[in-house]
Amino acid sequence: MKKKKLGLTARILIGLFLGFITGIVIYLFVPEGMIRDTIIVGGVLKFIGQVFLRAIKMLVVPLVFISIVNGAAGIGDIKKLGRIGGRTLVFYMTTTAVGISIALLVASVINPGQTDGLDLSAVVTQEVEINEAVPIVDVFLDMVPTNPVSSMVNANMLQLIVFALLIGVALSALGEKAEYVSKLFSELNEIMMKLVSFVMLLAPIGVFGLIAVTFANEGLDAIYALGKYFATVILVLFIHAIITYGGILKIFTGLSPIRFFKNFFPAISVAFSTATSSGSLPITMDVSEENLGVSKNISSFTLPLGATINMDGTAIMQGVATIFIAQIYGIELTFMQILTVIFTATLASIGTAGVPGVGLIMLSMVLQSVNIPVEGIGLIMGIDRLLDMTRTAVNVTGDAVCSLIIAKKEGEFDEAIFHGENSFNENKLKPQINIANEPAN
Ligand code: ASP
């Protein structure tokens, strides 16, 4: 009898679960020392996780550049591009503002900062890096690259997006005159997507390594100390993912949110285990095209933009953290201050790079806007990694929901893919490496 081949989603789930168990077992039972720190955690497990992470990150800059040029050239019509851009921005900003509003509301009801016996000195473990607020005009000015090559070298995503968009628009304006270059970009794009599908083969073992290292280092102890804050952030992240995203998806497209989450799961799990939305971008894009049915034209434009400026999960953490720290210091926020927090956190989300931990640094900007002591961030640093993982998963989910809605409105959505088998890349891979002979689950 032939063995049934597990689908990618199932294999990633197993990787996550085994990684969690392995990490906790190491944390609890393996004593500190050479074997644990250098060989197991800092050696084998680190290697497995980092190879996967580095392999995806390797693809980010070329993929963003090539796919946006291609997408913009493919859309062609400048008016259509402008309309899609406008809608995308409105969606991203609105959902972020909704996310942070829910966070402020729920946190005001739960009162995470009113915990009896919370010993502040015990949890403040790290120095806080203060991030000065950047003037808004500079945020926009900085989007225009003065040297596109340095934007690529430094992975400055917004600058890269602007430059790539302009090239794409020029290509489509030139039409036949730049036929070869257009074709070149479209072939380069195929190559990038093929590379993503190779990297994705590593996903189950990669997430295993990343998760195992996280839990081996952090355990669950810190979570108990700040349990109420932790639980509030997680609760709001779930409310936002299920109610806000599920709701707008149903209202604007009529599609099943359950199916959406199921199809999008490989990207959610990669975002969760890597805690970087920019880093997960190659996977988010491929899953959106292959499993959700969003056309390349749309996804190649909305997703890199989303990974750069749309961070609902981060804004949610910042909302809960603001209330939490205010309560710890006995500060009552006025209505105007609450509005300021919503506004600043929504803007901070544009400036937050999609890499691990930046949301916490940007929190200093939000706290400063309402005069809450920035030192409070030291309280929550210890448990931020796990929250970072969860909010990054929400961040990329928000990008995909918006992309799907826009694709549907623009007639760039393939419903058959959305309703089809959850066949992420496995079909593409079969002929070359012959890993699976049975349909994916
Ligand atoms: N890690 C988050 C992301 O990449 C950003 C943050 O909140 O720190 O989306």
Side-chain angles (χ1 to χ4, degrees):
M1 209 173 65
K2 252 200 221 164
K3 263 210 251 150
K4 181 149 172 31
K5 183 93 193 165
L6 284 175
L8 182 71
T9 303
R11 279 184 281 140
I12 291 182
L13 263 177
I14 294 172
L16 280 173
F17 179 72
L18 290 181
F20 172 73
I21 300 287
T22 310
I24 294 291
V25 167
I26 294 174
Y27 182 79
L28 293 178
F29 303 113
V30 184
E32 277 180 32
M34 222 312 257
I35 300 212
R36 174 195 151 139
D37 301 330
T38 319
I39 300 180
I40 306 181
V41 180
V44 179
L45 292 175
K46 176 179 166 185
F47 183 79
I48 296 175
Q50 291 300 316
V51 163
F52 173 59
L53 187 58
R54 292 178 71 103
I56 340 179
K57 283 188 173 169
M58 165 181 80
L59 303 177
V60 174
V61 168
L63 181 70
V64 168
F65 182 63
I66 292 166
S67 73
I68 292 189
V69 170
N70 225 12
I75 292 175
D77 169 4
I78 295 242
K79 258 206 212 141
K80 186 170 174 188
L81 202 58
R83 186 178 64 231
I84 295 173
R87 280 184 175 169
T88 309
L89 284 179
V90 169
F91 253 108
Y92 284 161
M93 296 295 100
T94 317
T95 48
T96 308
V98 170
I100 184 162
S101 306
I102 302 177
L104 292 169
L105 192 79
V106 174
S108 309
V109 174
I110 295 185
N111 295 322
Q114 289 171 10
T115 324
D116 296 334
L118 178 67
D119 180 3
L120 297 192
S121 56
V123 263
V124 179
T125 50
Q126 291 159 63
E127 285 282 303
V128 179
E129 191 180 326
I130 298 183
N131 199 47
E132 289 297 329
V134 185
I136 296 205
V137 62
D138 288 357
V139 173
F140 290 104
L141 209 51
D142 195 49
M143 289 180 189
V144 185
T146 50
N147 176 351
V149 177
S150 98
S151 317
M152 285 185 202
V153 172
N154 299 317
N156 184 322
M157 289 304 160
L158 277 181
Q159 295 185 352
L160 196 59
I161 291 173
V162 169
F163 183 61
L165 267 178
L166 290 173
I167 296 203
V169 169
L171 276 184
S172 94
L174 285 170
E176 278 184 8
K177 275 195 201 159
E179 204 181 345
Y180 290 119
V181 178
S182 293
K183 196 146 179 283
L184 176 71
F185 270 101
S186 111
E187 286 178 13
L188 285 172
N189 205 35
E190 291 298 327
I191 296 174
M192 293 312 299
M193 294 326 277
K194 183 53 88 192
L195 287 180
V196 176
S197 70
F198 291 156
V199 171
M200 208 50 195
L201 284 176
L202 294 175
I205 174 113
V207 300
F208 165 79
L210 291 165
I211 296 287
V213 170
T214 306
F215 283 96
N217 288 333
E218 316 225 343
L220 294 170
D221 297 357
I223 297 177
Y224 296 133
L226 292 162
K228 230 173 157 186
Y229 163 74
F230 188 87
T232 312
V233 177
I234 298 283
L235 175 70
V236 182
L237 289 173
F238 271 90
I239 294 179
H240 191 60
I242 294 168
I243 301 184
T244 313
Y245 293 155
I248 56 173
L249 198 69
K250 191 85 204 156
I251 293 168
F252 286 103
T253 65
L255 296 168
S256 151
I258 295 175
R259 174 118 229 159
F260 166 83
F261 282 111
K262 201 171 153 250
N263 289 3
F264 193 59
F265 181 79
I268 294 180
S269 63
V270 169
F272 177 77
S273 35
T274 60
T276 153
S277 38
S278 285
S280 326
L281 183 61
I283 312 295
T284 317
M285 285 173 73
D286 210 14
V287 176
S288 300
E289 288 158 21
E290 302 289 328
N291 281 9
L292 297 180
V294 176
S295 81
K296 265 198 174 50
N297 283 347
I298 299 290
S299 69
S300 63
F301 171 61
T302 54
L303 291 173
L305 192 66
T308 314
I309 68 165
N310 183 43
M311 314 247 164
D312 296 4
T314 303
I316 285 170
M317 174 280 287
Q318 291 172 342
V320 177
T322 305
I323 300 282
F324 173 72
I325 296 170
Q327 287 178 347
I328 296 273
Y329 284 97
I331 301 169
E332 281 267 350
L333 291 176
T334 64
F335 182 66
M336 267 323 282
Q337 283 179 311
I338 299 232
L339 288 184
T340 311
V341 171
I342 296 179
F343 182 73
T344 331
T346 307
L347 279 183
S349 144
I350 301 182
T352 306
V355 292
V358 184
L360 205 62
I361 296 170
M362 294 303 274
L363 174 62
S364 59
M365 198 174 122
V366 179
L367 295 179
Q368 277 174 326
S369 73
V370 286
N371 291 324
I372 295 175
V374 175
E375 292 66 33
I377 296 177
L379 283 173
I380 52 179
M381 274 186 169
I383 53 161
D384 193 60
R385 175 69 192 186
L386 282 174
L387 293 177
D388 195 4
M389 291 158 62
T390 319
R391 68 180 180 253
T392 306
V394 171
N395 289 345
V396 302
T397 307
D399 303 340
V401 168
C402 289
S403 304
L404 187 51
I405 292 173
I406 302 224
K408 184 102 199 291
K409 291 268 170 270
E410 294 289 336
E412 301 262 0
F413 166 67
D414 187 336
E415 193 142 3
I417 296 183
F418 186 84
H419 290 297
E421 291 279 86
N422 192 0
S423 61
F424 178 84
N425 275 333
E426 307 204 9
N427 291 333
K428 276 202 273 178
L429 287 162
K430 270 182 218 166
Q432 290 89 352
I433 53 170
N434 212 10
I435 49 161
N437 298 316
E438 309 233 348
N441 67 347

